[in-house]
Amino acid sequence: MKIQELADKMGLTAHTIRFYEKEGLLDGRHIQREKNNYRNYSDEAIERLKLIKKFQGIGCSLAELKTILQDHDTNTRTNQEVMEWIGQKIDEIERKKAEYDHMLVTLHWMLEYRKALIDDPDKAEAMMAQFRALSAE
Amino acid sequence: MKIQELADKMGLTAHTIRFYEKEGLLDGRHIQREKNNYRNYSDEAIERLKLIKKFQGIGCSLAELKTILQDHDTNTRTNQEVMEWIGQKIDEIERKKAEYDHMLVTLHWMLEYRKALIDDPDKAEAMMAQFRALSAE
DNA sequence: CTAAACTATGAAGTGAACTCTAAGGCAAGC
DNA sequence: GCTTGCCTTAGAGTTCACTTCATAGTTTAG
């Protein structure tokens, strides 16, 4: 399978696949060279790219993926270690979600304040007074 | 107030404050020059930086902030427009939160699968079979 | 046979928000 | 009067995951 064919199959560009290779995410099991120096991809390359996409989908950087794939290839990690790693990832994402929740609290406050400005100036003033009191703490 | 004093007060570095100035987030109302060409910051600069932090806190980029601050300075936007903008921001953040939720679903599945690998190999196999069936769709 | 379409390479560009460097001027403490 | 520690500037470096560019060799369709 040539690079464009693989790219189409996986919804990537040929550039990106070469980039992954340069980053060390693919190796001899996935790529051979033909006599014209064109890359020839095995079916394992498809599985590899699926794995890459899956881990990208759970928020892994390419640097992290490189380590994960190496460990995967060499069977370095115990089940226990993998479970700890997953736990850490979950915590990390929960933290980011909490940040967004905090943003949403602020935004909903802003929206309510703007509504009050139109409908109920007394309420708007009260909200602002309370906000200032909290900020001053 | 000199730059380092302001930086300490606001929990920023002097570099960052100069950077904000270069980006057009601060102007003559906030910065004057002394005869030795040092920057001298007014109290308004503190309010300005607080405003910048607040909007950064709800996920605004500096480019966005530049527009927001200009509108704020010139009173360009109607209440209605501001409310629409807040609504869009809320949607944007809800979308990002949903992405994280999707990551969490995957991660919790991975964790449960690993647990099953240890405690209940039949369950692990069933999970994997079901996963493959879903992937094939 | 030729032109389009594919392949290869290394290097540079993108954007966001800083962060740091180099090279120098001014000020305060000992 | 010397060191330390501010201050100034323009500009380069950082991180991430590509993307684009420039240039050139190979294959294929008409």
Side-chain angles (χ1 to χ4, degrees), chain A residues 60-73:
Chain A
C60 293
S61 69
L62 293 192
E64 232 174 334
L65 255 161
K66 196 175 171 178
T67 312
I68 292 165
L69 290 174
Q70 272 167 9
D71 291 352
H72 175 86
D73 292 345

Side-chain angles (χ1 to χ4, degrees), chain B:
Chain B
M1 181 173 18
K2 281 193 281 188
I3 196 165
Q4 191 58 52
E5 196 184 338
L6 179 62
D8 292 344
K9 235 172 219 166
M10 297 304 301
L12 298 168
T13 69
H15 284 303
T16 302
I17 294 170
R18 281 190 286 259
F19 175 74
Y20 285 169
E21 179 185 347
K22 204 175 58 175
E23 296 296 300
L25 270 44
L26 306 168
D27 61 32
R29 291 192 310 280
H30 319 102
I31 316 172
Q32 304 287 346
R33 294 296 185 133
E34 294 182 13
K35 60 175 184 282
N36 58 9
N37 199 32
Y38 285 16
R39 289 172 180 79
N40 190 339
Y41 293 90
S42 67
D43 285 349
E44 275 182 86
I46 294 175
E47 295 310 311
R48 187 66 153 197
L49 290 175
K50 278 186 189 167
L51 203 57
I52 289 170
K53 284 197 157 191
K54 185 169 164 194
F55 278 92
Q56 276 192 317
I58 57 173
C60 294
S61 69
L62 293 193
E64 233 173 336
L65 256 161
K66 196 174 170 180
T67 311
I68 292 164
L69 289 174
Q70 271 167 9
D71 290 350
H72 176 85
D73 291 345
T74 56
N75 239 321
T76 305
R77 299 290 159 204
T78 66
N79 215 4
Q80 190 57 40
E81 283 172 320
V82 173
M83 283 170 66
E84 274 167 32
W85 179 86
I86 295 170
Q88 282 167 20
K89 269 280 150 194
I90 288 173
D91 290 347
E92 188 185 311
I93 292 168
E94 295 282 12
R95 269 198 304 280
K96 289 184 188 169
K97 255 189 75 178
E99 267 177 50
Y100 282 140
D101 279 331
H102 188 245
M103 292 182 196
L104 285 173
V105 168
T106 306
L107 283 164
H108 283 293
W109 183 90
M110 288 171 71
L111 198 56
E112 203 187 338
Y113 176 71
R114 290 279 168 173
K115 272 184 196 149
L117 271 184
I118 296 172
D119 301 338
D120 187 352
D122 285 349
K123 183 183 169 190
E125 209 174 319
M127 282 179 78
M128 191 48 84
Q130 193 182 4
F131 175 73
R132 282 199 214 286
L134 286 171
S135 295
E137 274 172 15

